[in-house]
């Protein structure tokens, strides 16, 4: 059932990304997502960027018509929320490497905070196209993570892809687990690194979603359904899928290039 | 171990549980997954002539654990793209039934030919989607419509044709009779029941399409009534659908007259392993009750039952 | 305190909650009790020409807390005996609407005259009982039937006539249009949805009559869909019925297009004090949301709503 | 929902009365009733004559076609049961007078046993047409009640109506409460005695039942519904009803003489 809630807080994170905080009593875990309904517009899957306490949050990047429209919706507006759905990030790593890109950082953030609270050592490699688009690097550094940054245009941190930073961190330090979320080409690279270093990897994946409860098949990914078996998968499992990083299904169910 | 295999429309199913159309039915790997999980057969998403994205979200609203409303809008990749998905499922050994929908009898016939060519073992005609303007119920709501479509399809194909009937009718049995007379080899009953949900704080329908179809436990009794009435009017096998989520539910349908059943909404949250669970529950129940063959129970609730009159008592 | 009074068919109701037909409707003291408990009006049991005991028990089967199946078989004391019950309710000040059922238009007309003479403020025609052979749905399933009965009744009486429509139809709105054109001053929608329950250990239907009617929360979305579709086709007021058990449910119906609502199954276990509770909930909700008059919300969910097409997206 | 159970024990109590014991896990209280479905025949309301433990019981007197048929149904047969429905006898009296007639004794029995277990003094006046039809006098005496008997034909105890015995007991002893169940003319007399002696009275009443959940109006009795507000009523309330002891409704809802 949809619950109608008011956006209590609206934070402009970057020029193209907004966070909404809203009251939502359901227990939620890092990695899980909710379906967010903009009445009169679409309903979209959004990972929770804040999972603790009575007030949950999502962080939304402008990608198409609805997510662009979302950027201008004021606090106090009403939205529909259902969920949480899906699985969560493993709660037990001790030395954790996190590799995020773009809005993927928002998906990873609450899990990083939880890991830090339970005493883990967390190193984050966070990527963005440009400095102003960099998401949650301060939030995670403030929480106690060691944060390295990469931007495509070199306006902050290492110039180039975040995977390069990740590769260096893996060469330098020891990790028990790698978490990743971002563009699939990036995640494929991280998955390959995890394999090469023999470290368990976990990646949060996106596919088109409609029902979110494992019925309509919209989100099928190989033998899996992202809404039911994911969104967090072992990167080994992802690597074995011919679709991963290459194709997805459009709303009609046709396979299209990613 | 009771004998669960049944024959419908000349096809032997290893057990009577079919994956319902529209559930895990867009991708071949999903169909194969349902087969691997224990289904006796899998029915594809209803496929049309063109790729169709379906309605915008929200497309689904759940009511507790007893009901679900949906208006997907018949999204499907279109008949040109779909054969590769069927091939994946068939390669894994799945017994596949192809569901199609169209706007006219001719369109149904054309789709039927193309669907048959994919190697499906039977066709299910969706004459009953309650929320797709111009398709579904709108084309399947009178005996004449049903008859026209079934006749046009039967002429074109060799595989058995199953007509899926709407409950949104004064007389579902009349629709089934029309299908049988037009050459259908089986009846599926029912599709979803027309429904709507409104959010009162927003003063608007919850589903983007407004009207949707109710499914799940809430409609089990509605599906049972349809199967019961159809059983008294036709001789072709009936496939019961609607609200089945355990072995006893499936048995209710069998006793009402169904030879096989379809599982839809019960897949939500649990995934297709629900199919394996229901097969096991059915087997356990029959074994416990000393019933050797499920097929012997088809229509059992009709035996010795007489409708009383309201004037039977002083 | 929000203004809850509404006008239907020229009658002002102190609030929009009516006791549904068949619930607490055989005895005048029960009707009066529902009025005292806070109903805006009470509808009698459907009354026929002769005393009728109804079907043998079991007449009722409950599904959890979300649904109920019944096949009472239209028990009623007959129109000759019934006026004394109405007199008791009217003496207590109750606003009474008389429900009648018959097998032909002529029988309806005759009953309508006799029912009008008891002083009821309106008539509700039961064109929609799903389980009474020869009555109800069988006579109310086509626009022509509905039209014939309504026309015959309207000719005979001065009080407003309300047609109660079945959901067991491909097009409930078409039935409502037929009723409006024939002179009905209101539409009640819906009656119960055809359903059946089977006990698998006994291999027989649970209800003595077999087929029954589903009511309660399970059918709320079905009733809402009917009211929604009817609202788009008629101008006379609509009374929403089906699965209402709290103030928000009632508000959903109002926003779908209902000017008043009826409460049936929710009376089970709780008794008619449920009526007072729902009135209070409705009042509290409106007050909380700053709505002064309930009547302003009738049909509110239609405003600004457009049905999307399935091709709206790539 | 009906639960299908097997009759595990069948006891012929009198030539016209049988008790069925059956497994039924729902908690039940003295005074409550269940709907008993004889598949292929009718479904009837029956007060519980055994309310404790996993095995409940009903005691059924042959009155018409179905209850006559019931007398010959063997143990091991399957019946449908739903409920329990209705209210219960007050659990707190200390000095209790019980006045039962015919199958009414079965309705009263479990309440008497419960009262005795909680330390109450219970005096029972039990009536029957004839000695062989006397129900549960030994059961209640065995449980510790002081039992007096009356039969219409004088074959046991005081000849004549049980109300005569009740009147004598009331004149002799002191009581905090009176419970009664039996033919309504008898109950009316007991109700008047309770009023005369200023003792709270409780009577269990029967009316035609269909839904048993307070909806169909079949069991209406003045402003009450026996299935919802009863079957146990204060005798004062019963006395105020013009119908009590005089009329009931038949299955069509017509008022007919009792
Ligand atoms: C599990 C999951 C979690 C997500 N978490 C976040 C998040 O935390 N922050 C964030 O900014 N984005 C997240 N997304 C992606 C977000 O849902 C899409 O960016 C958004 O739906 C785009 O909608 P649009 O109408 O603006 O764009 P469109 O122009 O419609 O599409 C832009 C992209 O979004 C995809 N998209 C559109 N509708 C859906 C849908 N119903 N389901 C999935 N993808 C869709 C399109 O396929 C396309 O790739 C998540 C997606 C999934 C599946
Ligand atoms: C709350 C309650 C508790 C009861 N407890 C007992 C009990 O413990 N033991 C016992 O022997 N009897 C009990 N009865 C009475 C019993 O239900 C009837 O005797 C029985 O229904 C008769 O059915 P029949 O078909 O054999 O007789 P019929 O010939 O149909 O009728 C004989 C009498 O029973 C009445 N009756 C028939 N059907 C019903 C019905 N559905 N509901 C109520 N009355 C009906 C008739 O009106 C008539 O007075 C109880 C009744 C009620 C309402
Ligand atoms: C999300 C969803 C999509 C569906 N899509 C189709 C479809 O494409 N074709 C069809 O014939 N039935 C479709 N149905 C109807 C189901 O096949 C089934 O008839 C109905 O849901 C009742 O069964 P259930 O209660 O087990 O779900 C769909 C149902 C749901 C819930
Ligand atoms: C026990 C019972 C008896 C009913 N009897 C009648 C009747 O006599 N006439 C009628 O028009 N509707 C009758 N109905 C239908 C109700 O009036 C109502 O339309 C339906 O139950 C849906 O509303 P609900 O979900 O609030 O019960 C009956 C319903 C029930 C449950
Ligand atoms: S979104 Fe429907 S199956 Fe995942
Ligand atoms: S038996 Fe139906 S109201 Fe009591």
């Amino acid at each position: 059932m949809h619950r109608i809630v008011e956006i209590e807080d609206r934070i402009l994170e970057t020029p193209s990304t907004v966070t909404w905080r809203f009251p939502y009593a359901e227990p939620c875990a890092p990695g899980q997502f909710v379906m967010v309904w903009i009445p009169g517009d679409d309903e979209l899957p959004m990972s929770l960027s804040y999972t603790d306490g009575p007030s949950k949050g999502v962080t939304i990047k402008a990608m198409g018509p609805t997510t662009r429209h979302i950027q201008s919706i004021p606090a106090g507006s009403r939205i529909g929320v259902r969920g949480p759905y899906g699985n969560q990030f493993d709660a037990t790593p001790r030395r954790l490497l996190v590799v995020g890109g773009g809005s993927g950082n928002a998906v990873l953030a609450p899990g990083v905070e939880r890991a830090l609270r339970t005493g883990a050592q967390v190193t984050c490699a966070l990527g963005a196209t440009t400095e102003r688009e960099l998401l949650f690097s301060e939030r995670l550094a403030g929480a106690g993570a060691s944060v390295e940054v990469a931007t495509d245009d070199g306006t902050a941190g290492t110039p180039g892809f975040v995977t390069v930073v990740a590769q260096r961190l893996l060469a330098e330090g020891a990790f028990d687990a790698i978490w990743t979320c971002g563009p699939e080409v990036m995640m494929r690279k991280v998955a390959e690194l995890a394999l090469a270093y023999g470290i368990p990897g976990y990646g949060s994946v996106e596919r088109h979603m409609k029902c979110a409860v494992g019925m309509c098949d919209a989100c099928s990914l190989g033998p899996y359904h992202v809404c039911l078996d994911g969104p967090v998968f072992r990167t080994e499992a992802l690597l074995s899928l011919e679709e991963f990083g290459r194709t997805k299904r459009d709303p009609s169910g046709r396979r299209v290039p990613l | 171990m009771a004998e669960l295999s049944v024959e419908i429309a000349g096809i032997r199913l290893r057990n009577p549980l079919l994956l319902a159309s529209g559930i895990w039915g867009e991708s071949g790997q999903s169909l194969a997954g349902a087969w691997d999980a224990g289904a006796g057969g899998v029915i594809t998403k209803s496929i049309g002539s063109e790729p169709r994205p379906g309605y915008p979200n929200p497309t689904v609203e759940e009511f507790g654990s007893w009901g679900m409303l949906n208006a997907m809008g018949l999204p499907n990749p279109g008949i040109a793209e779909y054969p590769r998905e069927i091939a994946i499922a068939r390669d894994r050994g799945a017994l596949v039934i192809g569901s199609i929908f169209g706007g006219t009898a001719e369109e149904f016939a054309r789709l039927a030919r193309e669907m048959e060519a994919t190697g499906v073992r039977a066709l299910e005609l969706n004459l009953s989607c309650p929320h797709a303007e111009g398709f579904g119920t709108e084309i399947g709501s009178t005996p004449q419509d049903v008859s026209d479509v079934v006749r046009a399809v039967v002429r074109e194909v060799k595989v058995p044709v199953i007509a899926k009937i709407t409950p949104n009718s004064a007389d579902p049995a009349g629709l089934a009779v029309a299908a049988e007379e037009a050459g259908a080899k089986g009846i599926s009953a029912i599709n979803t029941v027309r429904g709507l949900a409104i959010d009162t704080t927003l003063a608007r329908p919850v589903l983007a399409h407004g009207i949707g179809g109710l499914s799940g436990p809430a409609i089990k009794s509605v599906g049972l009534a349809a199967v019961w009435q159809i059983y008294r009017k036709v001789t072709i096998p009936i496939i019961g659908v609607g609200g089945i989520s355990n072995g006893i539910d499936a048995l209710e349908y069998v006793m009402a007259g169904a030879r096989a059943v379809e599982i839809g909404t019960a897949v939500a949250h649990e995934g297709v392993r629900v199919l394996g669970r229901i097969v096991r529950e059915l087997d356990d129940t029959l074994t416990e009750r000393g019933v050797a063959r499920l097929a012997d129970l088809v229509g059992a609730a009709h035996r010795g039952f007489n409708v009383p009159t309201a004037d039977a008592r002083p």
Side-chain angles (χ1 to χ4, degrees), chain A, chain B:
Chain A
M1 221 194 66
H2 287 84
R3 249 158 281 225
I4 305 300
V5 299
E6 265 184 28
I7 302 169
E8 9 172 64
D9 207 0
R10 172 184 174 279
I11 306 118
L12 222 63
E13 306 284 1
T14 81
S16 72
T17 312
V18 71
T19 291
W20 283 346
R21 302 297 299 262
F22 51 87
Y24 199 66
E26 297 295 312
C28 299
Q32 290 193 296
F33 70 98
V34 289
M35 294 297 285
V36 177
W37 175 31
I38 320 301
D41 198 332
D42 211 342
E43 181 206 43
L44 302 170
M46 287 291 154
S47 292
L48 289 156
S49 56
Y50 293 92
T51 54
D52 294 334
S55 173
K56 308 297 190 287
V58 291
T59 300
I60 306 164
K61 186 169 170 65
M63 297 293 294
T66 308
T67 45
R68 266 201 303 275
H69 168 207
I70 280 173
Q71 306 299 319
S72 65
I73 293 175
S77 302
R78 281 185 297 200
I79 55 171
V81 179
R82 59 187 177 100
Y85 299 115
N87 63 1
Q88 46 176 296
F89 281 106
D90 176 23
T92 58
R94 289 192 310 110
R95 293 167 305 177
L96 176 62
L97 176 63
V98 170
V99 188
S103 66
N105 299 355
V107 179
L108 296 160
V112 169
E113 288 173 340
R114 186 186 56 186
L116 290 165
R117 273 201 310 277
T118 59
Q121 274 184 354
V122 186
T123 307
C124 297
L126 304 181
T129 49
T130 184
E131 179 174 23
R132 293 170 61 207
E133 285 297 338
L134 189 63
L135 207 57
F136 290 148
S137 63
E138 284 165 28
R139 173 179 169 191
L140 296 183
S146 142
V147 176
E148 297 225 21
V149 165
T151 50
D152 297 358
D153 65 359
T155 44
T158 309
F161 294 134
V162 70
T163 45
V164 178
V165 177
Q167 193 149 14
R168 175 169 47 78
L169 291 167
L170 280 164
E172 287 169 0
F175 298 97
D176 306 315
I178 305 179
W179 293 356
T180 183
C181 185
E184 273 186 34
V185 280
M186 181 204 101
M187 287 203 278
R188 177 169 267 281
K189 179 80 194 149
V190 176
E192 282 158 0
L193 286 172
L195 195 66
Y197 282 86
I199 302 172
Y202 300 84
S204 177
V205 179
E206 296 180 2
R207 280 298 178 274
H208 197 88
M209 286 197 180
K210 295 182 176 182
C211 74
V213 294
M215 194 167 59
C216 72
D217 218 22
C219 71
S220 77
L221 172 69
Y224 305 116
H225 290 84
V226 174
C227 67
L228 209 61
D229 307 302
V232 181
F233 292 90
R234 286 294 303 265
T235 48
E236 275 156 321
L238 293 173
L239 278 179
S240 75
L241 301 175
E242 134 204 29
E243 303 164 45
F244 179 60
R246 299 196 186 96
T247 62
K248 60 175 187 174
R249 285 172 193 271
D250 74 5
S252 76
R254 266 181 307 182
R255 294 169 196 238
V256 293
L258 244 176
Chain B
M1 287 281 291
E3 176 56 58
L4 294 182
S5 78
V6 292
E7 200 180 294
I8 49 156
I11 310 166
R12 175 135 308 260
L13 305 177
R14 61 185 182 184
N15 70 56
L17 264 76
L18 303 169
L19 178 74
S21 180
I23 314 300
W24 281 47
E26 266 172 24
S27 118
Q29 275 194 276
S30 294
L31 291 173
W35 173 257
D36 290 345
V42 297
I43 305 177
T44 70
K45 176 80 198 164
S46 293
I47 303 298
S49 303
E50 298 294 329
R52 203 177 133 99
Y55 302 130
N57 284 341
T59 43
V60 159
E61 172 80 341
E62 289 188 89
F63 305 129
S65 59
W66 50 263
M68 180 180 283
L69 197 68
N70 92 80
M72 309 308 297
L74 293 168
N76 78 95
I79 193 68
E81 286 263 346
Y82 199 66
R84 60 192 276 190
E85 307 294 344
I86 293 185
I88 294 170
R90 290 192 55 215
D91 283 351
R92 290 265 286 282
L95 189 157
V96 183
I97 295 173
S99 172
I100 54 174
F101 73 96
T104 61
E106 294 67 46
E107 191 180 1
F108 265 102
R110 204 177 336 111
L111 283 162
R113 261 197 324 266
E114 295 190 54
M115 185 58 98
E116 181 181 41
T118 66
V120 296
R121 297 287 298 280
L123 295 177
E124 185 179 79
L125 311 184
N126 182 354
L127 299 165
S128 45
C129 181
H131 51 73
E133 263 59 57
F135 302 106
T137 286
E138 294 197 0
I139 205 174
S141 63
T142 68
Q144 188 61 54
D145 283 345
V146 168
S147 176
D148 289 348
V149 172
V150 172
R151 209 174 295 278
V153 169
V154 165
R155 235 191 334 249
E156 292 296 328
V157 297
K158 292 210 180 58
V159 293
V161 172
I162 298 161
K164 187 166 179 186
I165 294 296
T166 179
N168 303 301
S169 160
D171 181 20
L175 302 176
V177 168
E180 177 172 42
E181 287 170 355
K185 290 284 178 289
I187 302 292
S188 296
I190 55 175
N191 210 309
T192 56
V193 178
R194 192 176 34 233
L196 175 85
I198 284 177
D199 182 85
T200 63
T201 57
L202 302 171
R204 60 179 300 134
V206 175
L207 301 188
H209 182 256
I211 298 289
L214 182 64
S215 64
I219 67 163
K220 188 181 74 173
S221 69
V222 182
L224 284 167
V227 169
W228 174 270
Q229 293 185 321
I230 292 169
Y231 183 79
R232 291 170 104 86
K233 293 276 176 66
V234 306
T235 58
I236 52 178
I238 303 165
I239 306 173
V241 205
I244 299 172
S245 63
N246 60 47
I248 298 294
D249 293 339
L251 205 50
E252 277 196 68
Y253 269 96
V254 170
M255 289 179 169
R259 194 161 284 277
V261 296
E262 300 177 17
I263 311 295
T265 303
V267 169
H269 301 289
E270 191 171 348
V272 286
R273 66 170 170 275
V274 70
L275 293 159
R277 171 170 66 75
I278 299 177
V279 171
R280 264 193 319 281
E281 287 169 355
L282 205 50
D283 191 6
D284 290 350
T285 302
L286 296 188
T287 306
E288 205 180 289
R289 296 185 187 172
V291 179
R293 281 162 33 96
L294 177 72
D296 295 339
L297 296 181
V298 175
H302 292 265
R303 291 171 212 146
F305 178 81
N306 298 304
V307 179
T309 68
D311 309 306
R313 292 151 58 110

